[in-house]
């Protein structure tokens, strides 16, 4: 199914026509700093390791600190201090999002920042872009609902929850969605997804929630795009460009492969992200691509992780379209220079972009082995 979700794609967040979001700016706009403050706080905490409960939720001490820092997430005056992460739905959404984006990972009973997480924590503009692209959580149905929510909020006026539910349900009814039982989603199903989108938007600093003076306390709220949200989603639509479709074969294990796709305006780092998702890896090691198709091939053809210590190397932060690839081109990719997970990439096709989310995994075949053995995760 094709989802008109371009407002949520990575290129939308990188080509907004607002220099305040650009990661290249020396001075970061205060709207960007305010929006990314919760994410940067959790990433910073996870540098030393955030304690987790037996169910891998954030520990009580972390939950209470979040409630104190962002009192709008929890009414302490009415309910007292929170005890569990599940009580702070916005914090829970933030935790889930950072894990989905592979900016944090679990190491035993601790939450740890990945290399990519450290990189984005130091670049609020790029972090905001990554968060904005995740508003739909990488799910086609959720992205379609999120588009409807954004369309309703773009008008500049605040909306109540019921208006957003109605807008999302109207959009869903125009598309051939069906649940596991084959029936179309009902209003309650759509409303639940709207709630997820709004909590995620608030966690990412893109949506603001404030009491509705016309409604009883705790029952009525108005929703609006935050200043950063208007900065990100209030502009025009970026031009769709070509999509590069690769066949990715895991060289370490026979029969494990995937088909992945990235837009030409996205960097090799996005292709790396798609490989990570395809094979279930955690982005916490260095990696390199060799455009000559040979593992550890010619240095001149190597494009490596932006966090590599070798400053003379080509960085993987280069748009795929600038590599002059033709259909049939072969690329070698190595992840984790210690264990050396090797992937052979072959450019299968160059297509026109649609409204789908990119980068994305199109198909998978076979089961990739675990990145790490079970023993030693607590180390």
């Amino acid at each position: 199914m094709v989802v008109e979700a371009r407002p949520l794609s990575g290129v939308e967040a990188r080509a907004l026509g607002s220099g305040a979001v650009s990661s290249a700016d020396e001075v970061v706009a205060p709207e960007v700093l305010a929006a990314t403050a919760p994410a940067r706080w959790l990433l910073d905490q996870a540098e030393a390791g955030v304690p987790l409960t037996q169910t891998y939720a954030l520990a009580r001490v972390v939950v209470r600190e979040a409630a104190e820092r962002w009192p709008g997430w929890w009414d302490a005056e009415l309910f007292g201090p929170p005890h569990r992460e599940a009580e702070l739905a916005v914090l829970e959404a933030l935790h889930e999002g950072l894990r989905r984006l592979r900016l944090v990972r679990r190491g035993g009973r601790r939450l740890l920042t990945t290399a990519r997480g450290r990189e984005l924590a130091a670049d609020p503009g790029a972090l905001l872009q990554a968060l904005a692209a995740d508003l739909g959580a990488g799910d086609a149905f959720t992205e379609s609902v999120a588009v409807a929510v954004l369309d309703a909020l773009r008008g500049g006026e605040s909306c109540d929850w019921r208006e957003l539910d109605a807008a999302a349900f109207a959009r869903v009814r125009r598309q051939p969605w069906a649940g596991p039982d084959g029936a179309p989603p009902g209003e309650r199903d759509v409303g639940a997804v709207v709630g997820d989108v709004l909590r995620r938007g608030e966690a990412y600093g893109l949506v603001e929630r404030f009491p509705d003076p016309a409604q009883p306390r705790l029952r009525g709220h108005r929703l609006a795009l935050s200043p950063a949200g208007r900065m990100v989603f209030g502009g025009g639509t970026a031009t769709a460009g070509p999509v590069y479709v690769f066949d990715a074969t895991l060289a370490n294990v026979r029969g494990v492969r995937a088909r992945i796709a990235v837009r030409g305006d996205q960097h090799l780092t996005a292709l790396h992200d798609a490989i990570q998702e395809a094979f279930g890896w955690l982005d916490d090691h260095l990696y390199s691509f060799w455009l000559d198709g040979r593992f550890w091939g010619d240095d001149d053809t190597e494009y490596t992780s932006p966090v590599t210590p070798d400053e003379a190397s080509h960085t993987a932060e280069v748009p795929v379209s600038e590599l002059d690839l033709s259909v049939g081109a072969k690329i070698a990719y190595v992840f984790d220079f210690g264990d050396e997970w090797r992937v052979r990439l072959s450019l299968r096709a160059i297509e026109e972009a649609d409204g789908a989310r990119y980068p994305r995994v199109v198909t998978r075949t076979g089961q990739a082995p675990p990145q790490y053995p079970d023993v030693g995760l607590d180390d």
Side-chain angles (χ1 to χ4, degrees):
M1 291 174 285
V2 176
V3 181
E4 299 174 18
R6 280 189 291 176
L8 301 181
S9 64
V11 67
E12 291 285 334
R14 279 188 287 271
L16 302 170
S18 173
V21 183
S22 172
S23 60
D25 284 349
E26 295 182 0
V27 179
V28 181
E31 297 90 342
V32 175
L33 293 175
T36 59
R40 289 186 290 110
W41 165 76
L42 190 53
L43 289 170
D44 181 64
Q45 295 296 306
E47 274 288 311
V50 170
L52 300 173
T53 68
Q54 291 183 351
T55 58
Y56 301 111
L58 298 174
R60 181 181 299 179
V61 63
V62 184
V63 172
R64 291 189 171 178
E65 182 177 347
E68 292 175 0
R69 285 175 173 267
W70 292 281
W73 291 3
W74 178 257
D75 193 333
E77 180 182 347
L78 187 63
F79 298 111
H83 299 280
R84 299 179 300 277
E85 178 186 340
E87 295 176 337
L88 262 68
V90 178
L91 177 62
E92 188 174 44
L94 177 63
H95 179 193
E96 291 175 355
L98 295 185
R99 286 206 61 203
R100 182 172 48 254
L101 290 168
R102 293 187 171 87
L103 304 186
V104 294
R105 66 176 179 87
R106 284 203 301 255
R109 293 273 294 278
R110 293 179 300 160
L111 189 71
L112 303 171
T113 306
T114 65
R116 179 64 172 164
R118 289 190 291 273
E119 178 185 350
L120 291 186
D123 189 343
L127 177 59
L128 182 62
Q129 294 162 6
L131 297 175
D134 186 60
L135 192 58
D139 173 75
F141 180 75
T142 305
E143 287 186 353
S144 186
V145 170
V147 169
V149 170
L150 289 173
D151 286 344
L153 294 176
R154 276 197 187 96
E157 298 294 333
S158 63
C159 300
D160 67 25
W161 208 302
R162 291 168 298 181
E163 293 175 280
L164 299 177
D165 283 350
F169 186 61
R171 178 184 175 88
V172 165
R173 291 181 62 185
R174 297 194 299 268
Q175 298 175 327
W177 298 110
D181 58 356
E187 293 183 62
R188 181 173 295 181
D189 301 316
V190 174
V193 178
V194 169
D196 290 340
V197 169
L198 292 173
R199 281 185 287 272
R200 193 174 302 115
E202 188 174 356
Y204 293 170
L206 301 167
V207 174
E208 293 180 332
R209 173 172 52 91
F210 49 92
D212 185 346
Q215 298 292 331
R217 186 182 181 190
L218 300 179
R219 293 188 58 188
H221 286 89
R222 306 288 295 180
L223 290 306
L225 289 177
S226 69
R230 290 193 297 273
M231 187 183 298
V232 173
F233 297 118
T237 300
T239 302
V243 167
Y244 290 71
V245 182
F246 293 88
D247 287 328
T249 302
L250 182 58
N252 306 70
V253 181
R254 182 175 298 178
V256 180
R257 58 186 183 274
R259 185 165 298 159
I260 56 183
V262 297
R263 282 193 315 273
D265 65 298
Q266 293 178 315
H267 293 183
L268 275 175
T269 54
L271 182 58
H272 159 75
D273 291 340
I275 296 171
Q276 294 280 299
E277 181 180 351
F279 298 119
W281 295 333
L282 297 171
D283 182 22
D284 53 359
H285 294 284
L286 299 178
Y287 60 89
S288 280
F289 296 89
W290 285 269
L291 301 192
D292 62 1
R294 297 183 295 119
F295 297 112
W296 304 103
D298 192 321
D299 290 346
D300 290 338
T301 71
E302 181 184 4
Y303 288 82
T304 192
S305 166
V307 297
T308 177
D310 186 356
E311 296 180 359
S313 301
H314 299 301
T315 177
E317 288 187 330
V318 57
V320 174
S321 61
E322 293 185 7
L323 300 176
D324 295 325
L325 300 176
S326 301
V327 173
K330 308 295 183 184
I331 300 176
Y333 166 89
V334 174
F335 170 66
D336 186 346
F337 295 165
D339 290 338
E340 279 200 33
W341 291 103
R342 298 185 172 197
V343 176
R344 296 188 180 94
L345 296 164
S346 176
L347 182 56
R348 178 184 181 88
I350 301 177
E351 305 172 346
E352 287 299 316
D354 55 20
R357 176 184 65 96
Y358 295 99
R360 68 189 181 107
V361 179
V362 180
T363 61
R364 292 184 181 88
T365 302
Q367 179 64 47
Q371 179 180 348
Y372 302 112
D374 292 338
V375 178
L377 284 178
D378 290 324
D379 296 339

